[in-house]
Amino acid sequence: MISDIYYDPAEVIQTVESMLDELKPFRYDAYFRNILGDGLADCISRWDANIRARKEDPFTVVVCGEFKRGKSTIINALLGEDVAPTNVTTETVTVNRICYGLHSNEAVLSGGRRVSLPDEDLKRFSLEKIQKNLQQPLRQLILRRPVELLRSVTILDTPGLNDADTDFSELVEETLQQADAVIYASSVSYPLSRSEQVFLKSVVIPQKYTRLYLLANFSDILESEQDYDSIREEMERRVHGLLPDEKVWMVSALSQRCAQKGWESPNTVL
């Protein structure tokens, strides 16, 4: 009987780094850059940097989904603390990296520069004003909090897809490359819309993550068990067309936060 096979992490890292080194000519050699084009060559450079950085990262969960799907409330419910800014006026405008540490907020700029921010500047209009004053986009926000779960898990809170003001799809797609697992937030009001199905099929599924969690949020707005069952069945029907073995999780992040704070549930019927 063969015992369980295991991998030596150090050897795996060395193998991956050797493979990345073999790609260096495609990034730096003028002949290959001319064939590939600067765009693809620069993309390979970003992949290289992301992969090399990942070996030092803790387990990383990326939370993504369309605009106003309650992603920030989901994150706060997971952490048991209001870390991610919520509601429309504070919708994420860049990637929020939420990790363990003493309470602090940093805006990451190009060239290694960083700016410390108070909690009140995490609101959308404040961040957009800061970007305008700095005359450059924020690469990401780093939010450190002394929450026990963050000792072993880093959470990446992404901007909403299909935002009416800005197209964040490229930024979200790049962030997904850092994921060990993905939480995709949908809504019971729009049970896996056509655009959400397209994004899952074209961007999320090809990444082949360790784990994908499909959440149908805002279940607290449903009025009866019949509504609950109907929405769940419709979500499952649409999901199984893309991922036959995937489960749909009906959740209410708001109800969870209310329970954590000792407040009355927004839906006492369900």
Side-chain angles (χ1 to χ4, degrees), residues 17-29:
E17 289 182 336
S18 297
M19 296 170 68
L20 292 173
D21 289 340
E22 293 177 6
L23 292 176
K24 284 184 178 180
F26 295 97
R27 298 165 51 200
Y28 300 117
D29 189 284

Side-chain angles (χ1 to χ4, degrees), residues 113-166:
R113 292 183 297 166
R114 299 191 178 192
V115 177
S116 295
L117 300 175
D119 289 354
E120 54 267 26
D121 279 349
L122 298 180
K123 297 179 179 179
R124 179 170 187 153
F125 69 87
S126 297
L127 292 174
E128 290 176 338
K129 183 178 180 180
I130 290 170
Q131 291 186 86
K132 184 177 181 180
N133 291 337
L134 294 172
Q135 297 184 339
Q136 63 176 285
L138 305 179
R139 294 180 58 189
Q140 72 172 215
L141 296 178
I142 299 178
L143 313 180
R144 294 186 178 86
R145 299 292 186 273
V147 177
E148 191 62 28
L149 176 63
L150 296 176
R151 287 183 181 273
S152 55
V153 176
T154 289
I155 297 176
L156 300 185
D157 179 19
T158 62
L161 298 161
N162 287 359
D163 187 315
D165 297 325
T166 310

Side-chain angles (χ1 to χ4, degrees), residues 62-66 69 71 74 161 172 176 182-187 192-193 195-200 204 212-217 235 249:
V62 172
V63 181
C64 62
E66 293 197 348
R69 295 301 191 263
K71 297 183 298 296
I74 289 170
L161 298 161
V172 174
L176 285 168
V182 173
I183 293 175
Y184 188 88
S186 186
S187 168
L192 210 62
S193 66
S195 58
E196 289 177 311
Q197 294 178 54
V198 169
F199 183 80
L200 283 170
V204 177
L212 170 64
Y213 294 93
L214 296 171
L215 271 55
N217 196 21
M235 284 283 295
W249 298 85

Side-chain angles (χ1 to χ4, degrees), residues 167-183:
D167 181 9
F168 291 112
S169 56
E170 185 175 344
L171 175 61
V172 174
E173 184 172 352
E174 185 175 325
T175 304
L176 285 168
Q177 297 171 15
Q178 305 173 47
D180 294 303
V182 173
I183 293 175

Side-chain angles (χ1 to χ4, degrees), residues 11 44 59 69 77 151 170 184 190 197 208 230 232:
E11 188 172 340
I44 293 175
F59 190 87
R69 295 301 191 263
R151 287 183 181 273
E170 185 175 344
Y184 188 88
Y190 314 95
Q197 294 178 54
K208 295 182 172 57
S230 176
R232 184 189 60 198

Side-chain angles (χ1 to χ4, degrees), residues 211-237:
R211 190 62 175 158
L212 170 64
Y213 294 93
L214 296 171
L215 271 55
N217 196 21
F218 303 113
S219 62
D220 54 273
I221 69 172
L222 301 175
E223 297 181 357
S224 67
E225 292 185 9
Q226 289 78 12
D227 289 342
Y228 182 96
D229 292 337
S230 176
I231 293 296
R232 184 189 60 198
E233 290 170 4
E234 180 62 20
M235 284 283 295
E236 290 177 344
R237 184 185 68 80

Side-chain angles (χ1 to χ4, degrees), residues 6-37:
Y6 67 94
Y7 291 90
D8 179 357
E11 188 172 340
V12 172
I13 289 173
Q14 184 178 12
T15 300
V16 172
E17 289 182 336
S18 297
M19 296 170 68
L20 292 173
D21 289 340
E22 293 177 6
L23 292 176
K24 284 184 178 180
F26 295 97
R27 298 165 51 200
Y28 300 117
D29 189 284
Y31 172 77
F32 289 112
R33 287 189 70 94
N34 185 54
I35 294 175
L36 296 174

